Amino acid sequence: MKKIFQISQVWVVVVMSVFLFSCEKSEMDSLVPGAQAETKKGGVPAHSIVATSTTQTADTAYIIAFYSNTPNLNTETDVQNLATSIAGAIQFDVTFFEDTKGFAAPLTPNQANAFRNDSRVEFVEIDGPIYPAGSN
């Protein structure tokens, strides 16, 4: 014989549904799972970046990786000098020069596009949280 839901169970589901529906969006709602993120050049498609003024702020953090066969990237200073020669002044958060050659830093949209268009750059990705696989 099938078991019929008790009215109290239905009531709890209705109340919880209304509560969850009425909650304001949290900061986490805008995050994209890692599996859906673009991993090659352009964590954000270049056509989606629109510059609205001539003065841009570097408020989005990016991870930039150079191809491992890029010559003369043996020190932190080498990586920073190459990055600066491509996109101008950068406030570096972290610089990688051993196995992976690259850095993390806040960039303007124009700077991010400069890296996307450089043949020495393997990928440009917006920095963000990393989640274990299957933890949606």
Side-chain angles (χ1 to χ4, degrees):
M1 181 170 198
K2 287 187 173 181
K3 185 175 182 181
I4 299 176
F5 291 108
Q6 294 179 356
I7 191 73
S8 62
Q9 292 172 324
V10 173
W11 180 247
V12 169
V13 170
V14 169
V15 169
M16 290 302 294
S17 297
V18 169
F19 172 75
L20 292 173
F21 182 75
S22 65
C23 288
E24 293 183 30
K25 287 190 172 273
S26 71
E27 184 178 320
M28 298 299 285
D29 289 342
S30 64
L31 297 177
V32 176
Q36 295 175 2
E38 293 181 33
T39 58
K40 283 294 178 186
K41 283 190 177 187
V44 172
H47 66 273
S48 70
I49 297 176
V50 178
T52 56
S53 70
T54 57
T55 58
Q56 297 178 334
T57 59
D59 56 0
T60 302
Y62 288 86
I63 298 173
I64 310 295
F66 297 106
Y67 284 104
S68 58
N69 62 354
T70 304
N72 302 322
L73 293 182
N74 302 318
T75 67
E76 182 176 351
T77 304
D78 294 339
V79 172
Q80 291 178 352
N81 288 340
L82 176 57
T84 303
S85 72
I86 294 170
I90 297 171
Q91 183 66 39
F92 296 93
D93 288 340
V94 178
T95 305
F96 312 101
F97 62 91
E98 291 176 352
D99 293 330
T100 300
K101 312 224 185 272
F103 64 94
L107 302 173
T108 67
N110 286 344
Q111 287 175 314
N113 284 333
F115 285 110
R116 283 188 188 99
N117 296 322
D118 193 286
S119 63
R120 297 167 289 189
V121 176
E122 184 173 4
F123 69 85
V124 176
E125 185 174 314
I126 292 179
D127 195 4
I130 299 172
Y131 299 103
S135 67
N136 296 354

